[in-house]
Amino acid sequence: MSDATQEETGMDVNLDRAALKTLCHEVLSHHGFSEPHVDAMSDALVAAEMDGCRSHGLYRLMGFVATLNNGGVVPDAVPVVEDTAPSIVKVDAKGGFSSLAFQQGVPELLDKARANGIAILAINHCVHGTALWVEVERLTREGLVAIACNPTQSYMAPHGGSQPLLGTNPIAFGWPRGNGNPYVFDFATSAIARGDIELHRRQGDEIPLGWGVDREGAPSQDPAEVLDHGAMLPFGEHKGSALAIMIELIAGPLIGDMLSIESSEHDQGKGSLPYHGEMIIAMDPARLTGGSPQQHMLRSERLFDLVKQQGARLSSERRYQARQKHLEEGVTLSRALYDDILELAS
């Protein structure tokens, strides 16, 4: 194990950012991922862990390794960037994880968005297992407004149904705020992210009613039953279901890639992380506002202020607070998770 700062307290282990990244590097390198993939994947996992997003943090290393062992990902894939139209960038991930494909496509996406006011990055043939907010926040730091979404596998029943058909299909949005932290949201169109149900199973906890149904379509609080035999449910009933279908379409067939049901068929029951496509839309306020972009963007601050005056919380504020705390104090991992990760590196 690296000599990066770490501190053990009782059953838990406290790691600073450098130690978290070193741990990711050790696991991924040990399993044969190429250095560019190791760097990109580690950055995404550590960002999630630092922001308190445990379902998308270092816990995901186990899914990454399992997917590799199942033959579900190419560990040394070299993404190919294609310039297909004035406002479109396509990146063929060649069966690798999406983080590197995103990094490879960003420079051209930025150029096209600034030249044309709006641009789309379509990632094809990728495996996805990280949080979308990491990507949209990267674009807001460049002064762009961003939307990202992707299908997954058929984990979720449509509203009114009881069988898995749709993906959990996350969507993320980012809005730049000058020198401050951007306004960002990222959520699954299911009632909860699949990773959160997996964490409940790992901890031996029941899940709340409304998250999923059993194999007979009855409400279930058993995470294993929901994950392995039943189906997850959409948030907001028909509204979440409709959004999930929209994402299936625009980040699937529209960009020449898979629906969630097709991704499940591709997996053949191996239990790998989803193989599919991803769509990222970047918009440049300097082009779209029609002049005086700073003045127009500042008008958004009135809205944010009025939201907070009512005592409401802006999306992502909790993440930024967690980020600051963890930068100062480190991140605490459970001893069980830490030991499982160490085992992956040995």
Side-chain angles (χ1 to χ4, degrees), residues 6-340:
Q6 73 175 64
E7 176 187 337
E8 299 184 15
T9 308
M11 293 295 291
D12 297 329
V13 179
N14 186 271
L15 303 173
D16 65 12
R17 189 181 187 282
L20 291 170
K21 190 164 185 178
T22 297
L23 188 56
C24 290
H25 270 252
E26 290 177 351
V27 169
L28 296 170
S29 297
H30 176 73
H31 287 275
F33 286 95
S34 65
E35 186 174 345
H37 278 288
V38 170
D39 286 340
M41 294 156 67
S42 296
D43 285 346
L45 294 179
V46 171
E49 197 70 51
M50 291 295 291
D51 278 20
C53 300
R54 296 297 172 89
S55 63
H56 288 76
L58 269 67
Y59 161 75
R60 291 269 169 159
L61 284 167
M62 290 181 285
F64 286 5
V65 172
T67 298
L68 177 66
N69 291 339
N70 291 339
V73 67
V74 179
D76 57 353
V78 179
V80 176
V81 180
E82 304 174 68
D83 181 352
T84 61
S87 290
I88 298 174
V89 186
K90 285 179 76 72
V91 180
D92 187 343
K94 298 292 184 178
F97 277 108
S98 60
S99 297
L100 180 60
F102 173 77
Q103 287 189 3
Q104 295 290 316
V106 160
E108 196 162 341
L109 176 67
L110 295 176
D111 288 345
K112 287 176 179 285
R114 287 169 177 153
N116 300 298
I118 186 168
I120 291 173
L121 170 58
I123 301 175
N124 293 110
H125 313 127
C126 69
V127 183
H128 200 92
T130 53
L132 289 178
W133 63 258
V134 177
E135 298 175 359
V136 297
E137 185 173 329
R138 163 78 175 83
L139 297 176
T140 62
R141 300 296 181 186
E142 299 286 344
L144 302 178
V145 176
I147 299 171
C149 61
N150 62 261
T152 58
Q153 287 185 18
S154 52
Y155 301 136
M156 184 174 79
H159 177 59
S162 60
Q163 301 299 312
L165 173 63
L166 305 173
T168 53
N169 298 6
I171 184 167
F173 171 81
W175 180 272
R177 298 183 66 189
N179 295 325
N181 287 318
Y183 172 79
V184 174
F185 68 72
D186 176 4
F187 54 77
T189 48
S190 50
I192 193 72
R194 186 172 178 85
D196 285 297
I197 300 182
E198 291 171 346
L199 286 176
H200 276 71
R201 170 160 62 180
R202 178 181 175 83
Q203 295 159 2
D205 296 332
E206 289 188 335
I207 59 173
L209 289 172
W211 284 11
V213 294
D214 65 17
R215 69 193 78 189
E216 303 298 329
S220 176
Q221 292 185 273
D222 181 349
E225 175 67 20
V226 170
L227 292 173
D228 297 338
H229 305 291
M232 299 173 65
L233 294 175
F235 82 87
E237 300 182 334
H238 64 284
K239 297 177 182 178
S241 188
L243 277 175
I245 292 172
M246 178 194 77
I247 293 165
E248 293 275 346
L249 299 173
I250 66 171
L254 183 61
I255 64 169
D257 222 300
M258 292 184 177
L259 299 167
S260 293
I261 187 67
E262 293 171 325
S263 180
S264 289
E265 291 165 351
H266 173 83
D267 183 58
Q268 297 180 328
K270 295 175 183 175
S272 297
L273 289 169
Y275 176 79
H276 51 63
E278 178 185 352
M279 172 182 276
I280 302 102
I281 304 170
M283 295 163 276
D284 185 5
R287 290 280 187 173
L288 289 167
T289 55
S292 304
Q294 277 191 319
Q295 176 185 340
H296 289 297
M297 294 300 284
L298 281 173
R299 293 168 59 209
S300 65
E301 294 304 314
R302 181 187 180 197
L303 175 61
F304 297 139
D305 289 342
L306 290 171
V307 169
K308 296 178 76 171
Q309 284 176 26
Q310 294 193 24
R313 176 178 58 85
L314 291 175
S315 296
S316 66
E317 281 190 336
R318 202 157 46 192
R319 281 199 304 100
Y320 298 135
Q321 291 166 2
R323 183 183 303 178
Q324 186 59 41
K325 177 185 177 183
H326 292 147
L327 283 170
E328 296 170 359
E329 303 175 8
V331 171
T332 300
L333 300 181
S334 71
R335 166 57 66 175
L337 176 58
Y338 181 69
D339 287 346
D340 283 344

